[in-house]
Amino acid sequence: MTPEEQEAVRRALAATPPAGPMPPEVVARLEATIADLAAARSADEAPPEPDSAGTVSALEERRRRRWPRVLVAAASVAVLAYGVGAVLQDAGPQAETAATDSAGGAEADEGRAESSGDAATEGGAAPGDPEPEAQGAPGLLAGGPVVDLREATLRRDVARHVELGRTAVTRDGLSTLDSSKRYARRDGTCVLPDLRGGDEASAARLDGRRATLVVREAQGGTRVAEVYWCGDGRTLLAETELPARR
Amino acid sequence: MDREPDDRGLVAAHLSGDPDAFGALFARHRDRLWAVALRTTGDPEEAADALQDALVAAFRRMESYRGEAAVTTWLHRIVVNACLDRMRRRKVRLADPLPDDLDERAGRGSPASASVLDPADVASDHERRDLVMAALATLSPEQRAALVLVDMEGYSVEETAAMLDCAPGTVKSRCARGRARLAPLLAGLAPGNPDAAPRVPPLDAGGNPDGEEVTR
C-alpha cells in the first residue's frame, strides 16, 4: 500500500462525522454508578459494626447451628443428582444434548461474568468477590422492585414479600452482571451474594441501607432468608426463617 | 474566585475521600471517552457497558495511577481495555462467521470497479458514519482501537501507545495494516469525494483474519 493510499484512508477516517455527546440515558446510568460507588466507599469506610446489639455474633451462632441441616440437605441433593443422571442416561442422546446445551449456557454466563484483560487488572473485581453460580441461579430484574425491609419486623416483611411472589425473578437478570459481579438495580449497583439453584434474590433495603435479600431454597420445611450488605455481597446483615409453602 | 482543580487535583481529591471528585473528572472527559468507546465497540449498548466497567475499575483503583502519564491517557487506557475485553468476549460468543466473500464484496467497491453508490445513498452524515463503522468492524479489536485513537480521535502514536500499553511501533503497524484493509472499503469517502462511496456490507465485529504484526 502506498503512502498516498494510507493517507487517503487516514483522511477518510478523520472526516467521519463526530460521535456526538454521550446520550443522556447513558450519562444518567453512569452518574448513578458513580454515586453508588461513592456511597459504597463511604460505607466501606464505616462497615457494618460487628457487634452492634450483638447482631453478627448471633447470626454466626445461628449459622453454626444450621450446619448439620445443610449437610443433610447437601446429601439429599447428591442423591437427587444421581437419580437425575440415571434418568438422563436412560433417556439417551436427546437428553444428553439438552444437558450439553444447558452447560453451554452456563459457560456463556460465566464468560460474561468473568473478569479478564487489562481493565480488570487495572482494578475491576476486587479479589475475593463472590463468584455467582450461573447454573440454575435466579437473576435479578434490573428495573424490578426494591424491597423495603426492617430488621425489627424482618420475618413479617420477608413473608409478605414472598407471599406476593416478588422473589420469582428470572435468570435473564444475570445479564445485568458486570465484570465485578455487581448487578444493576434502579438505585445503583450491588455485589451479588453467592446463589445456589433454587435460591431467590431481590434488591432490597434494610432499614434504608441498600442490601440484597436472598431467600434460600426450602429445606426441611423452612426457607432461610438472608440479607446481605450491598457493598460486598458477603456481609450478612440480618437473617430469618420462614415456613416453606407448598 | 475558585479555580477548577485540574485532573491531577481531582485524582488527589478522590483519593483523599472527596465523594464528588471522581464524578467531576468523569464529567470533564465523558464525551471523548464515549466517542472512543462507541467507535471502538461499534455498538452504543456495548459502549455504555464498557464505560461502566471502566468507571468501576478506575474508581476502585485510582491509587494505581502513578502520575507518569496524563490522567486522561490513563482513563482512555482503562476505557479502551474495557472495550477490547468486551469485544473479545463478544467475538467468542458470536456464532456467525464473517461472510466468505468479504474480500470479493469489498473489492466490488474499489475505485477500479464501477460499483459505487449513487450520491443520494450517502447523503447523510449518519450514513457515512455507518459506512465507516461497518468497515471498522472488519478489523481486529486491536487494529480498530489503534485507528480510532490515531486517525479518528487525533491522538499521537506515542499517546496511543501509552493508552494501548504497547510500543509505538506496534501502534504504527496496527494502523498500517488496518488502513490497508480499509482502503477498498472506504475508497471514495476521502474528503473531496464525499459522495462516491462503496457500499460496505454490514458486518459483525466478530472476526479478524489479520494476524498481529508487532514492530518495536
Side-chain angles (χ1 to χ4, degrees):
Chain A
M1 193 181 190
T2 66
E4 290 74 25
E5 288 170 328
Q6 289 262 343
E7 180 60 19
V9 174
R10 196 198 61 72
R11 283 202 310 269
L13 291 174
T16 306
M22 182 181 286
E25 66 274 15
V26 179
V27 172
R29 172 182 162 188
L30 297 182
E31 284 181 344
T33 300
I34 293 171
D36 179 57
L37 288 166
R41 184 167 72 156
S42 301
D44 282 343
E45 285 159 6
E49 292 179 24
D51 278 313
S52 60
T55 308
V56 173
S57 303
L59 289 173
E60 287 304 316
E61 179 60 29
R62 284 160 70 181
R63 276 190 146 179
R64 277 195 290 275
R65 284 203 308 267
R66 212 170 69 226
W67 260 109
R69 201 170 59 203
V70 170
L71 289 175
V72 170
S76 307
V77 169
V79 169
L80 184 63
Y82 176 79
V84 170
V87 169
L88 281 176
Q89 275 186 342
D90 291 345
Q94 201 172 359
E96 192 175 313
T97 307
T100 308
D101 287 347
S102 169
E107 278 172 23
D109 282 343
E110 282 165 11
R112 183 172 180 88
E114 175 184 83
S115 173
S116 63
D118 293 341
T121 309
E122 289 280 354
D129 270 353
E131 291 287 336
E133 192 175 323
Q135 180 91 29
L140 293 159
L141 297 174
V146 177
V147 189
D148 258 324
L149 303 171
R150 290 198 198 116
E151 191 165 0
T153 56
L154 184 63
R155 190 166 188 273
R156 193 177 68 201
D157 294 347
V158 175
R160 189 187 311 126
H161 176 65
V162 171
E163 188 78 24
L164 291 171
R166 286 186 180 156
T167 53
V169 292
T170 70
R171 65 172 284 153
D172 294 342
L174 280 178
S175 65
T176 62
L177 280 180
D178 65 18
S179 59
S180 60
K181 318 297 180 291
R182 299 177 80 86
Y183 68 90
R185 42 192 275 171
R186 61 171 58 164
D187 58 353
T189 64
C190 283
V191 177
L192 186 72
D194 282 324
L195 297 176
R196 297 180 289 272
D199 295 345
E200 295 173 338
S202 303
R205 280 183 178 270
L206 180 68
D207 296 323
R209 184 174 215 166
R210 291 184 321 110
T212 303
L213 167 66
V214 177
V215 181
R216 300 293 182 189
E217 187 177 23
Q219 289 174 355
T222 60
R223 298 190 76 179
V224 174
E226 297 164 340
V227 185
Y228 287 93
W229 182 42
C230 172
D232 64 4
R234 289 190 299 259
T235 303
L236 188 62
L237 299 176
E239 184 185 46
T240 188
E241 287 184 359
L242 307 168
R245 294 175 64 89
R246 285 186 165 272
Chain B
M1 197 172 89
D2 286 346
R3 278 186 59 198
E4 279 279 306
D6 62 11
D7 287 352
R8 288 174 191 261
L10 288 174
V11 168
H14 172 76
L15 291 175
S16 65
D18 182 339
D20 301 322
F22 189 86
L25 186 63
F26 163 68
R28 185 175 288 175
H29 298 291
R30 72 183 176 209
D31 287 342
R32 290 203 83 176
L33 296 174
W34 169 250
V36 169
L38 183 61
R39 287 171 158 175
T40 303
T41 62
D43 176 69
E45 286 196 19
E46 195 87 334
D49 287 346
L51 271 176
Q52 184 163 342
D53 290 348
L55 282 187
V56 171
F59 187 100
R60 290 181 178 170
R61 298 293 288 271
M62 186 74 86
E63 70 276 6
S64 72
Y65 171 67
R66 292 186 296 271
E68 291 162 2
V71 174
T72 184
T73 302
W74 183 76
L75 285 174
H76 275 73
R77 181 172 171 177
I78 295 175
V79 168
V80 171
N81 279 329
C83 291
L84 295 178
D85 209 26
R86 283 188 166 270
M87 291 167 74
R88 291 183 193 117
R89 292 208 297 258
R90 182 174 62 180
K91 191 171 168 179
V92 169
R93 286 199 304 271
L94 278 178
D96 296 335
L98 285 171
D100 290 337
D101 62 343
L102 177 63
D103 290 332
E104 185 190 330
R105 284 205 260 175
R108 272 186 233 138
S110 72
S113 84
S115 176
V116 294
L117 277 186
D118 185 301
D121 285 348
V122 272
S124 69
D125 279 358
H126 187 264
E127 200 157 351
R128 287 174 64 85
R129 192 160 43 225
D130 285 351
L131 283 168
V132 171
M133 297 313 288
L136 284 171
T138 66
L139 304 179
S140 72
E142 291 77 12
Q143 287 175 356
R144 183 173 176 152
L147 281 179
V148 165
L149 291 168
V150 174
D151 286 355
M152 299 178 82
E153 297 298 323
Y155 291 104
S156 70
V157 167
E158 287 70 26
E159 286 173 311
T160 301
M163 291 173 190
L164 297 179
D165 196 21
C166 64
T170 302
V171 173
K172 289 178 187 171
S173 168
R174 288 175 182 173
C175 286
R177 291 171 68 84
R179 289 186 198 119
R181 186 159 184 85
L182 294 185
L185 301 172
L186 297 183
L189 268 190
N193 190 13
D195 295 331
R199 172 77 69 186
V200 181
L203 296 171
D204 290 324
N208 169 51
D210 288 355
E212 193 63 36
E213 180 183 308
V214 178
T215 308
R216 292 182 187 273

